Amino acid sequence: MVPAGGYLLVSALLFSLGVMGVLLRRSAIVMFMCVEMMLNAVNLSLVAFSRLLGDPTGQVLVFFVMCVAAAEVSVGLALVIALFRNRESIDVDQIRLLRG
Amino acid sequence: MQVVLFGICALLAIVGAVGVITARNPVYSALFLVLNFFSLAGLYLSLEAQFLAVTQVIVYAGAIVVLFLFVIMLLNLRPEDLPRFRLDRTGPLVVLLSLGLLLGVGMGIWSLLGASFPQDPQAQAVGTVESLGRALFGRYLVGFEVVAVLLLVAMIGSVMLAKRRFQ
């Protein structure tokens, strides 16, 4: 049997890889993918805890996270499209209208 | 059996995550993301969360990645348009920061590392559709309804954003 720590470690590793991706990449689309990865890492630890405690609440929470992720992706990608139409670029370093 | 499934899926999930970060072409990133999502579904299966494993494949690997691929095709980026990595000064700092984060979380879960999952049938049945359905339509019914409204708002918002021309 794999101990619960195995799942939690994989989840922590995936989360830090997601953070690394968000900070290292400049393409808005890949940054969104890394945000999805971070949400998934948290989902994994929620499922592991739900199994550990024998309580379905964690899995219901995962269900809600999935719905929020779907909403976030649809709005975010619409923003990327609107951005590309105006700027002809998805490089987040070139979007600095609000930087004084 | 569970150990083998866990090992393969954990390895593939990490390979997929590294691939998403390192692939230069966003289409390859999206395909690595599919690998990551599928192996997470495998991990859910090894945790006896069958319903969530199926939902993961349908929602993430099905809908969300397809949406990503559609947007990538719609933008039709030329290879010279692709933004480069941010590897100048901030690169090592970012890697260090993520490793620090991993270390912090690792210390947080240190006491749980050896905890084993309960094996009684009641705890194993937590991930079935019946148990989840009872929780979702019982205690969490309000949240469920609110999520439905959230999805409607997101749909309207994304249509508005994609249609409008900003000046």
Side-chain angles (χ1 to χ4, degrees), chain A residues 27-46:
Chain A
S27 157
I29 294 181
V30 180
M31 283 173 71
F32 263 116
M33 290 184 196
C34 292
V35 171
E36 290 304 308
M37 249 159 48
M38 285 155 71
L39 287 169
N40 263 291
V42 175
N43 280 354
L44 179 61
S45 67
L46 279 174

Side-chain angles (χ1 to χ4, degrees), chain A residues 2 4 9 17 23 26 31 35 37 40 43 49 56 61 78 92 100:
Chain A
V2 183
L9 275 185
L17 280 171
L23 295 176
R26 294 192 304 190
M31 283 173 71
V35 171
M37 249 159 48
N40 263 291
N43 280 354
F49 277 121
L61 209 52
V92 289

Side-chain angles (χ1 to χ4, degrees), chain B:
Chain B
M1 179 60 203
Q2 195 220 8
V3 178
V4 177
L5 188 59
F6 171 79
I8 293 173
C9 288
L11 195 70
L12 283 180
I14 290 163
V15 167
V18 172
V20 172
I21 300 176
T22 51
R24 175 129 171 67
N25 190 331
V27 177
Y28 293 154
S29 284
L31 293 179
F32 275 118
L33 197 66
V34 175
L35 178 67
N36 186 8
F37 288 163
F38 263 105
S39 38
L40 274 171
L43 285 178
Y44 292 165
L45 267 187
S46 76
L47 282 170
E48 278 133 3
Q50 300 92 345
F51 177 69
L52 282 182
V54 174
T55 318
Q56 168 89 7
V57 171
I58 293 174
V59 174
Y60 274 113
I64 289 184
V65 175
V66 169
L67 200 61
F68 272 117
L69 286 173
F70 260 118
V71 169
I72 292 169
M73 281 192 283
L74 205 62
L75 295 185
N76 197 13
L77 295 168
R78 292 180 301 273
E80 62 268 21
D81 282 346
L82 295 175
R84 307 204 162 272
F85 287 68
R86 192 179 287 141
L87 282 179
D88 40 0
R89 288 167 296 133
T90 44
L93 197 70
V94 164
V95 174
L96 216 65
L97 192 84
S98 315
L99 288 181
L101 180 73
L102 182 61
L103 195 72
V105 177
M107 276 161 65
I109 59 180
W110 187 253
S111 60
L112 280 167
L113 277 187
S116 56
F117 294 110
Q119 286 306 317
D120 55 302
Q122 205 190 347
Q124 278 178 335
V126 150
T128 56
V129 183
E130 189 195 348
S131 136
L132 273 186
R134 278 186 199 286
L136 201 58
F137 294 110
R139 244 176 107 185
Y140 300 100
L141 185 63
V142 179
F144 184 77
E145 300 290 346
V146 171
V147 158
V149 178
L150 173 80
L151 285 176
L152 179 70
V153 171
M155 195 167 74
I156 297 171
S158 54
V159 170
M160 283 293 296
L161 276 173
K163 248 179 82 173
R164 210 163 93 194
R165 291 222 163 253
F166 294 93
Q167 295 308 318

